[in-house]
Amino acid sequence: MSERELRLNSLGRYAKTSSRLVLEEHGHCEVPAGCGGVVMRWRDPRAGTPFTMRMVSRGYVTDMFLDGARPPSGHTIVPFGEHVVAFAISGFPAGVPFLAFSGTTRAESQVIPDVEQQFPQVVLSAADGTWRYRRTAPDDYTWMLPGFDDSNWPAMVALEWPAPDPGERPDYQVTSLTSQGALGLGIEIPDRELRYPTDEPRRAWIRRTFTLVPPPEVAR
């Protein structure tokens, strides 16, 4: 007889544990649990990892995709392997950043610490050649998927966020992403386009490929 079974009047007697599953807690801001409520969920870490996405855009984001589909929310479960986050943005300004992004596997809602917390994986907007764009609409949907050849797409460049006007506070979203290491990205606008502006909004289709690797304990 186990020690837990001997404690007849202890609530801990009804506690559940699992060597294969992860217990998560989701607050009412993430799921419809009622004001102040929570939802508890067991999850198999071998099926994928929680992936939290945050972004700032200075244009109109017409679409955001994860592997060719619109993510149901900024917090989703993503399988291990190669993925693509993609954006279609219009009406962005010239000479300043119009996109910053952070994606992380560190789940802030975990109840029981698990191996994913020990090996967080982060995807940040950076001027490292991995964030690529084009100014004309792609031919089909394959640009949003892994395996697409974007080698002839230009790379986005890092630009400085404009300073806030006197008396105004810095943009909270920009400050939050910058503190995580995400850079503000933009594109180089041709001189002719700057000299002869039109009423047509600027458009860009952006993609970034990344790979999520299972932690050692999950990979076994």
Side-chain angles (χ1 to χ4, degrees):
M1 183 176 294
S2 69
E3 181 181 355
R4 190 167 65 182
E5 290 176 322
L6 291 174
R7 297 178 180 177
L8 299 179
N9 296 322
S10 171
L11 289 177
R13 177 170 178 256
Y14 301 98
K16 295 182 179 180
T17 60
S18 173
S19 60
R20 304 295 296 178
L21 302 179
V22 175
L23 180 61
E24 296 178 336
E25 173 192 353
H26 297 271
H28 67 276
C29 292
E30 300 174 275
V31 295
C35 184
V38 297
V39 169
M40 313 291 284
R41 179 179 70 170
W42 289 98
R43 178 178 60 82
D44 186 349
R46 295 167 296 177
T49 181
F51 193 63
T52 300
M53 296 172 286
R54 296 185 174 92
M55 66 167 292
V56 171
S57 173
R58 287 296 176 263
Y60 178 66
V61 181
T62 56
D63 274 308
M64 173 181 173
F65 301 97
L66 181 62
D67 299 333
R70 296 179 179 87
S73 72
H75 309 274
T76 187
I77 302 296
V78 178
F80 297 109
E82 187 178 27
H83 301 280
V84 172
V85 61
F87 306 88
I89 301 178
S90 65
F92 54 85
V96 295
F98 63 85
L99 178 65
F101 177 87
S102 167
T104 177
T105 61
R106 182 179 292 279
E108 299 174 354
S109 60
Q110 300 281 41
V111 175
I112 298 178
D114 70 301
V115 68
E116 293 164 352
Q117 302 288 65
Q118 303 171 28
F119 299 93
Q121 301 177 67
V122 180
V123 179
L124 298 173
S125 50
D128 57 2
T130 61
W131 289 82
R132 295 182 172 271
Y133 74 95
R134 64 178 292 170
R135 298 291 303 277
T136 56
D139 296 331
D140 56 36
Y141 68 92
T142 57
W143 72 279
M144 302 179 288
L145 303 177
F148 178 83
D149 182 10
D150 61 7
S151 58
N152 63 341
W153 288 30
M156 301 186 76
V157 297
L159 298 171
E160 291 290 333
W161 291 104
D165 294 332
E168 291 188 357
R169 295 181 178 180
D171 187 297
Y172 169 77
Q173 291 180 313
V174 170
T175 302
S176 176
L177 287 180
T178 301
S179 67
Q180 298 178 44
L183 297 182
L185 299 181
I187 65 176
E188 296 178 345
I189 305 297
D191 291 340
R192 179 178 178 82
E193 185 176 333
L194 296 175
R195 289 198 304 266
Y196 305 102
T198 67
D199 294 333
E200 187 71 18
R202 297 185 182 92
R203 292 185 172 88
W205 287 259
I206 302 163
R207 57 177 271 122
R208 205 287 197 180
T209 300
F210 63 95
T211 301
L212 297 179
V213 180
E217 286 80 354
V218 175
R220 286 203 296 263

